[in-house]
Amino acid sequence: MNQWRKTEVDGWDAWIGETELLAVTVVPELGSKVVSLQSRKTGREWLWRSDKPLGNEGYGSSFVAGDESGWDEMFPAIHAGAYPHHPWQNQAIPDHGEVWSRAWEHQATSSALTCRIGGVQFPYVLEKMYTFPAADTLHIEYTVTNLSGAPFAFLWAAHPLLQVREGMKLHVPPELTEIEVSYSEEGRLGAFGSKQPWPLARSTSGESIDLSTVEPNAGRFAEKYYFTSMLGPGSGYAGISDPATGEALMFRFPADKVPYLAVWANYGGFGGNYHVALEPATGRMDELAHAFRQGEAAVVPARGVYRWYLEAKAVFS
């Protein structure tokens, strides 16, 4: 049986939930950030940690001014920008959204941790509940409640920065065969909006790149891209595996509510950091106004709710 217990991480109050196979550590005061996701069978830590102290500079601050570690929630947008539609037109959304930089309310029982936060510029409540439906699986149930009388558009994406090493493999549904570039350091994959085949892309200098294989930490490259296709029924998954150990981490989510998938692959080109993030997302291309114009933003009806889940499953050889 899993158990949630209070602990402390670098001076911050935290909660650990664990089974015999998996352990997760959450710091509600730091944006309800997951700072550790560990396979207890092997001791493998899946989440990447920078050498910065845990913490951030508060609401409206830049993500890179914080610790840049672990697994944050990006909501109601990813890039800083203006809300695109009445009645909140031009209301500012900060970098990586409103919720990663603030303390969440939380409540723990023996079997669940529930975290909750309200909007700053917008009338919503975002809630998530962590449970373990199986010893190898962490389940996170999300609910956005719109407190207003107008529809509310948003982007949500998970942001789990994963520890990687060269040769690890990314796994996505087979129907995902094309990507669109949101960011590419040195323009290796092209400018914003450039499209490339998956998994074998071609750099602007003509080099073939296997995007499904983790590259070495060359200190030069970093890319953020979205798959161009929406996920179909039964295709809400993505994963990363380590051929050297046979271990894998698989994410599952409902494609009807979370229809997009993004990848952030940082091979030393951004901040000198080395990590990869698999990012299930409710919309595409990071900026809410762009997603809204393209019809690729999620919308909560007036006085309505929007629910989804994300599962992380540890796989052993």
Side-chain angles (χ1 to χ4, degrees), residues 104-128:
W104 293 44
E105 300 172 13
H106 61 283
Q107 182 176 3
T109 65
S110 61
S111 60
L113 175 68
T114 301
C115 302
R116 182 178 185 271
I117 193 167
V120 176
Q121 305 287 348
F122 311 98
Y124 64 80
V125 173
L126 174 62
E127 186 174 270
K128 58 181 178 175

Side-chain angles (χ1 to χ4, degrees), residues 54-285:
L54 278 181
N56 62 70
E57 296 186 355
Y59 180 83
S61 62
S62 167
F63 186 75
V64 299
D67 58 69
E68 298 183 272
S69 295
W71 176 350
D72 290 283
E73 307 290 349
M74 296 189 288
F75 180 93
I78 300 161
H79 283 177
Y83 189 86
H85 194 259
H86 178 80
W88 306 286
Q89 188 133 20
N90 297 324
Q91 196 75 266
I93 305 172
D95 180 37
H96 281 55
E98 289 199 330
V99 302
W100 70 273
S101 59
R102 299 163 52 223
W104 293 44
E105 300 172 13
H106 61 283
Q107 182 176 3
T109 65
S110 61
S111 60
L113 175 68
T114 301
C115 302
R116 182 178 185 271
I117 193 167
V120 176
Q121 305 287 348
F122 311 98
Y124 64 80
V125 173
L126 174 62
E127 186 174 270
K128 58 181 178 175
M129 182 171 67
Y130 294 90
T131 57
F132 293 94
D136 60 359
T137 303
L138 173 68
H139 181 94
I140 313 170
E141 193 79 24
Y142 291 88
T143 305
V144 175
T145 302
N146 181 357
L147 304 177
S148 82
F152 177 64
F154 71 92
L155 299 180
W156 166 86
H159 196 241
L161 296 172
L162 302 170
Q163 287 198 58
V164 293
R165 54 188 173 199
E166 183 181 358
M168 291 176 71
K169 298 290 185 181
L170 305 185
H171 306 276
V172 304
E175 69 264 30
L176 299 183
T177 59
E178 184 184 59
I179 65 164
E180 186 171 356
V181 175
S182 178
Y183 168 86
S184 181
E185 182 68 26
E186 296 190 2
R188 182 172 72 147
L189 294 182
F192 178 90
S194 297
K195 294 180 180 178
Q196 292 269 8
W198 167 279
L200 298 179
R202 190 161 294 277
S203 73
T204 49
S205 62
E207 175 192 8
S208 180
I209 306 166
D210 182 358
L211 298 175
S212 68
T213 301
V214 173
E215 299 176 53
N217 185 1
R220 291 179 57 193
F221 305 121
E223 274 104 23
K224 172 71 178 287
Y225 52 84
Y226 284 77
F227 291 93
T228 55
S229 299
M230 294 179 70
L231 293 159
S235 293
Y237 71 86
I240 188 167
S241 66
D242 187 346
T245 66
E247 292 175 89
L249 186 67
M250 295 299 299
F251 295 99
R252 294 195 176 274
F253 46 95
D256 60 328
K257 295 293 187 179
V258 185
Y260 301 105
L261 180 64
V263 174
W264 165 247
N266 188 357
Y267 303 134
F270 190 87
N273 300 326
Y274 186 50
H275 50 233
V276 168
L278 297 170
E279 301 189 1
T282 60
R284 258 182 19 102
M285 301 299 287

